[in-house]
Amino acid sequence: MRLFVNILFSIILVFARLLRLPQDRICQWFIQINNRLVLTSISSGLKEEHLLLLIPHCLQNYDCEFKITARVKNCRRCGKCIIKDLIDLSEKRHIRLSVAPGGTLARAIIKEYQPGLIIAVGCERELESGINDVYPLPVIGILNQRPEGPCKNTTLDMDRVEEVMRTIRLKAEGEVS
Ligand code: SF4
């Protein structure tokens, strides 16, 4: 079913480009459908340590001097950006957290960690291409927020991340169908 949606979406996207339709809206639709399918397919037994939370570099405060791409824990947790909250969450829930500045590094991280499920954060186009790139690996996409425009000082609705984590946990424990 996910493969069918991916192929259908690729065709729709070609037409959307030709007709100059708003591609972000179409990507949002694709991400929503993908997320539903992935959540539905989670089997019991998936452990939180098998999750990989993959985030873009633009979530980091633009003026921060600490380099977090190679090692996210270089963050000093000053709270000026959402990276602090994400590290807190990853420690609380025992999930892997990695910063991927681009598709090549993201693929290397995925190869190294071999996650059972990826929770990826990004903009519409990044998530759309990332979900298709790593298929059949399941990816749940969460859109970032861009109060200063794209690629700089972006942020994230942590309630949404917690909600996704809760749903995954309940599904893995077999408490929701
Ligand atoms: S929380 Fe502070 S130290 Fe950590 S990445 Fe953001 S600005 Fe830098």
Side-chain angles (χ1 to χ4, degrees), residues 64-113:
C64 178
E65 63 185 286
F66 302 107
K67 193 166 168 45
I68 60 163
T69 41
R71 190 171 181 274
V72 72
K73 288 196 177 171
N74 285 340
C75 163
R76 298 298 194 271
R77 307 195 198 198
C78 72
K80 282 189 191 156
C81 70
I82 203 79
I83 300 294
K84 174 196 176 295
D85 295 348
L86 287 164
I87 295 174
D88 289 348
L89 176 75
S90 74
E91 288 180 351
K92 189 171 99 187
R93 305 239 62 100
H94 307 288
I95 58 174
R96 290 180 186 273
L97 172 68
S98 276
V99 182
T104 307
L105 193 56
R107 276 188 286 277
I109 292 166
I110 291 164
K111 195 172 171 196
E112 181 188 344
Y113 289 160

Side-chain angles (χ1 to χ4, degrees), residues 8-31:
L8 179 65
F9 177 77
S10 300
I11 296 167
I12 291 171
L13 205 55
V14 169
F15 280 105
R17 282 189 189 120
L18 288 173
L19 299 172
R20 296 172 190 271
L21 296 174
Q23 289 180 41
D24 280 357
R25 293 297 301 274
I26 296 167
C27 288
Q28 285 170 14
W29 168 80
F30 169 73
I31 294 160

